[in-house]
């Protein structure tokens, strides 16, 4: 009889835990904030990030120019592959009214600086330490590139590694 009472008690506890877990999941789902999905044609959300040289980059400061936002990580193979191509395209367009803001996702300054030095990159390299910009732009896959025109509207969202000819064509499309 003692075994039956113990088994009933254990089953009751397990059932209570399952009910609590289900109730919590339903509550969280019902009360969570709904993230607005960013889509082509939307005004690009403003942000301020600091680059490796300590310079602040606020998207609103680039109004009147085309901006290519590139979200990436040092551990991401397609990100590594596209960086030299992005660097070449940046060199070609930086004096034509198209800017690049590269946004690393929450890695250390040391890791990012080593990556930049190894690849000899010369465009602004920022780090989204809190992932707030990543969340604002609904980035869930790297690399992610947003093309923003001179009015601040998103013209294209790309979630794959981009080649040099593609970067050049995309930057040409947002050139003022």
């Amino acid at each position: 009889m003692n075994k039956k009472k113990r088994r009933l008690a254990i089953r009751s506890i397990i059932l209570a835990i399952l009910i609590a877990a289900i109730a919590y999941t339903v509550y969280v789902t019902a009360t969570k904030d709904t993230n607005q999905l960013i889509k082509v044609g939307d005004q690009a959300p403003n942000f301020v990030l600091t680059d490796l040289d300590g310079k602040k980059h606020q998207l609103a400061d680039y109004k009147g120019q085309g901006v290519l936002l590139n979200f990436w990580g040092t551990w991401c193979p397609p990100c590594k592959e596209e960086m030299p191509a992005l660097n070449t395209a940046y060199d070609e367009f930086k004096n034509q009214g198209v800017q690049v803001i590269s946004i690393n996702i929450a890695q250390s300054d040391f890791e990012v600086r080593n990556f930049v030095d190894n690849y000899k990159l010369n465009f602004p390299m920022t780090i989204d330490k809190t992932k707030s910009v990543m969340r604002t732009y609904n980035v869930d896959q790297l690399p992610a590139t947003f093309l923003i025109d001179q009015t601040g509207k998103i013209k294209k969202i790309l979630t794959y590694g981009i080649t040099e000819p593609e970067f050049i064509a995309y930057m040409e499309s947002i050139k003022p």
Side-chain angles (χ1 to χ4, degrees), residues 160-171:
Y160 58 86
I162 301 172
T163 64
E164 187 176 318
E166 289 172 316
F167 271 126
I168 289 171
Y170 291 139
M171 291 172 96

Coordinates of all heavy atoms in Angstrom, one line a residue, residues 160-171:
Y160 N 21.6 35.6 -47.8 CA 22.6 34.6 -48.3 C 23.9 35.3 -48.6 O 24.0 36.6 -48.6 CB 22.0 34.0 -49.6 CG 21.7 34.9 -50.7 CD1 22.7 35.3 -51.6 CD2 20.4 35.4 -50.8 CE1 22.4 36.2 -52.6 CE2 20.1 36.3 -51.9 CZ 21.1 36.7 -52.7 OH 20.8 37.6 -53.7
G161 N 25.0 34.6 -48.8 CA 26.3 35.2 -49.2 C 26.2 35.8 -50.5 O 25.6 35.2 -51.5
I162 N 26.7 37.0 -50.6 CA 26.7 37.8 -51.9 C 28.0 37.8 -52.6 O 29.0 37.9 -51.9 CB 26.1 39.2 -51.6 CG1 24.8 39.1 -50.9 CG2 26.1 40.0 -52.8 CD1 24.3 40.4 -50.3
T163 N 28.0 37.7 -53.9 CA 29.3 37.8 -54.6 C 29.6 39.3 -55.0 O 28.8 40.2 -54.9 CB 29.1 37.0 -56.0 OG1 28.1 37.7 -56.8 CG2 28.7 35.6 -55.7
E164 N 30.8 39.5 -55.4 CA 31.3 40.8 -55.8 C 30.4 41.5 -56.9 O 29.9 42.6 -56.7 CB 32.7 40.8 -56.2 CG 33.3 42.2 -56.4 CD 34.8 42.2 -56.7 OE1 35.5 41.4 -56.1 OE2 35.2 42.9 -57.6
P165 N 30.1 40.8 -58.0 CA 29.2 41.4 -59.0 C 27.8 41.7 -58.4 O 27.3 42.8 -58.8 CB 29.1 40.3 -60.1 CG 30.3 39.5 -59.9 CD 30.6 39.5 -58.4
E166 N 27.3 40.9 -57.5 CA 26.0 41.2 -56.9 C 26.1 42.4 -56.0 O 25.2 43.3 -56.1 CB 25.5 40.0 -56.1 CG 25.1 38.8 -56.9 CD 24.8 37.5 -56.1 OE1 25.6 37.2 -55.2 OE2 23.8 36.9 -56.4
F167 N 27.1 42.5 -55.2 CA 27.3 43.7 -54.3 C 27.3 44.9 -55.2 O 26.7 45.9 -54.9 CB 28.6 43.6 -53.5 CG 28.4 42.9 -52.2 CD1 29.3 41.9 -51.8 CD2 27.5 43.3 -51.3 CE1 29.1 41.2 -50.6 CE2 27.3 42.7 -50.0 CZ 28.2 41.7 -49.7
I168 N 28.1 44.9 -56.3 CA 28.2 46.1 -57.1 C 26.9 46.4 -57.7 O 26.5 47.6 -57.7 CB 29.3 45.8 -58.2 CG1 30.7 45.9 -57.5 CG2 29.2 46.9 -59.3 CD1 31.9 45.4 -58.4
A169 N 26.1 45.4 -58.2 CA 24.8 45.7 -58.8 C 23.8 46.3 -57.7 O 23.1 47.2 -58.0 CB 24.2 44.5 -59.4
Y170 N 23.9 45.7 -56.6 CA 23.0 46.1 -55.5 C 23.3 47.6 -55.0 O 22.5 48.4 -54.8 CB 23.0 45.2 -54.3 CG 22.4 43.8 -54.6 CD1 23.0 42.7 -54.1 CD2 21.2 43.7 -55.3 CE1 22.4 41.4 -54.3 CE2 20.6 42.5 -55.6 CZ 21.2 41.3 -55.1 OH 20.7 40.1 -55.3
M171 N 24.6 47.8 -54.9 CA 25.0 49.2 -54.5 C 24.7 50.2 -55.6 O 24.3 51.3 -55.2 CB 26.5 49.2 -54.1 CG 26.8 48.4 -52.8 SD 28.5 48.1 -52.5 CE 28.7 49.4 -51.3

